[in-house]
Amino acid sequence: MKSYNNLLFDVTDGIGTLTINRPKSLNALNSETLAEIGEALAEIKDNADVKVLVITGSGEKAFVAGADISQMVSMNSLGAAALSELAHNSFKTIESLPQITIAAVNGYCLGGGFELANSCDIRVASSKAKFGQPEVGLGIVPGFGGTQRLTRLVGRGKAKEIIATGAQITAQEAQSIGAVEEVVEPDQLMDKALEIAKAIMKNGPVAVRMAKYVIDKGADLDLNTAISFETQMWAQTFATKDQKEGMQAFLEKRHAKFSGE
Ligand code: HXC
């Protein structure tokens, strides 16, 4: 992996950790960081050593406190559209990764930070994390997917309440509305993310990849089309070595040794 100005990356035992690393600005996303996220993900996509990806923020205080306001303050509409598109490209790349992604939310998760977390497959939060879409207080609307992904996660009413008030909510509240899957004590955050990653890695890699794909593709389809699509994906898993191994291992009362084929 090449080195980045605003990101750290590590792979240990099949788990990649991508850290947004601008702690002095609470990891605010400027255009350079957004572009670097896109580039790093393109590398991670093809990196067979990365089975699961964890995304987190540097320092104690913030996951990501939003898009970089000092960069946006003098921006015109053209610049804003370009920034939004840059973020959309990077965040869509997160969703299209074959690996499951886990946001480990270690602190403030605001604006573009919440939008980044909502592009991941699973969100684990420190009990001290705070979530919100404060954009209307700056005179703008969320522009990195917040009006859409948050709405799909929590429903229109809650999304409108969060976005229109701009108020911060606690990790516990975020969990109660389905915007966060797990809440743990701050010092347990990475352990919890790694525990989930390891549980995922025990399973058939092709099946996990396909499950992510069919869930995401199906979410944009009507139910009848979506369940037909599920049938196709399900049938395809029977053409894999992993299916033979998984079922044979069950019948032989042993742990499966998946090859990912
Ligand atoms: C640039 C930021 C920043 C941001 C914090 N900082 N958030 N810089 N962009 N989004 C900087 C501060 O200016 C400060 O720099 C340093 O980080 C520490 O922040 P403080 O404000 O001093 O910390 P604290 O008082 O603890 O308050 C924490 C905070 C607050 C509540 C998270 O920083 C805050 O409200 N930040 C902005 C949150 C926000 O509005 N995010 C949404 C952005 S819009 P100095 O140099 O003074 O030490 C967005 C839109 C996306 O995300 C879509 C656009 C197309």
Side-chain angles (χ1 to χ4, degrees):
M1 169 83 70
K2 71 178 244 200
S3 75
Y4 292 99
N5 291 335
N6 307 293
L7 303 175
L8 301 172
F9 183 67
D10 166 75
V11 189
T12 306
D13 298 334
I15 303 169
T17 304
L18 185 68
T19 304
I20 316 297
N21 187 34
R22 298 185 74 216
K24 284 188 188 144
S25 317
L26 304 188
N27 304 319
L29 300 172
N30 59 8
S31 50
E32 183 184 47
T33 309
L34 287 166
E36 286 187 351
I37 291 172
E39 279 179 61
L41 293 170
E43 285 194 66
I44 289 165
K45 194 173 200 154
D46 295 328
N47 186 339
D49 294 338
V50 182
K51 315 287 186 206
V52 176
L53 178 68
V54 176
I55 300 181
T56 193
S58 190
E60 305 270 292
K61 209 167 157 182
F63 173 70
V64 167
D68 192 320
I69 300 168
S70 64
Q71 190 177 46
M72 291 188 294
V73 63
S74 55
M75 219 170 238
N76 61 18
S77 294
L78 217 55
L83 187 72
S84 168
E85 230 168 89
L86 180 62
H88 284 319
N89 285 337
S90 294
F91 293 4
K92 280 193 279 187
T93 308
I94 298 178
E95 290 174 323
S96 70
L97 284 181
Q99 297 96 336
I100 295 279
T101 54
I102 302 171
V105 180
N106 51 311
Y108 285 113
C109 182
L110 303 174
F114 202 4
E115 293 164 309
L116 169 63
N118 287 342
S119 306
C120 294
D121 297 310
I122 297 167
R123 283 148 293 280
V124 182
S126 146
S127 56
K128 296 223 171 108
K130 291 275 166 52
F131 295 78
Q133 296 287 164
E135 285 89 344
V136 293
L138 300 167
I140 61 174
V141 294
F144 295 175
T147 61
Q148 304 308 313
R149 288 195 185 89
L150 181 64
T151 306
R152 282 161 169 74
L153 270 182
V154 304
R156 276 199 257 180
K158 260 297 163 197
K160 284 176 186 168
E161 184 186 358
I162 290 169
I163 290 170
T165 64
Q168 290 178 13
I169 61 171
T170 64
Q172 293 76 8
E173 286 172 288
Q175 186 182 32
S176 74
I177 59 172
V180 158
E181 280 63 57
E182 305 282 345
V183 179
V184 293
E185 290 305 306
D187 62 353
Q188 296 296 306
L189 180 68
M190 286 315 280
D191 285 348
K192 187 70 190 176
L194 298 183
E195 179 191 316
I196 296 171
K198 285 176 190 159
I200 292 167
M201 284 160 56
K202 283 188 188 150
N203 298 314
V206 182
V208 170
R209 197 162 63 232
M210 252 189 209
K212 167 172 172 167
Y213 184 68
V214 72
I215 290 168
D216 285 340
K217 287 285 169 215
D220 295 328
L221 302 173
D222 68 273
L223 186 62
N224 271 332
T225 313
I227 56 177
S228 301
F229 183 52
E230 184 191 70
T231 299
Q232 289 167 31
M233 293 294 113
W234 184 74
Q236 275 188 34
T237 58
F238 284 74
T240 64
K241 287 185 184 162
D242 283 356
Q243 176 265 334
K244 306 285 175 273
E245 168 60 14
M247 294 192 179
Q248 203 61 47
F250 173 80
L251 294 174
E252 291 169 10
K253 301 189 190 305
R254 61 174 173 82
H255 290 298
K257 287 197 188 105
F258 292 112
S259 63
E261 292 167 65

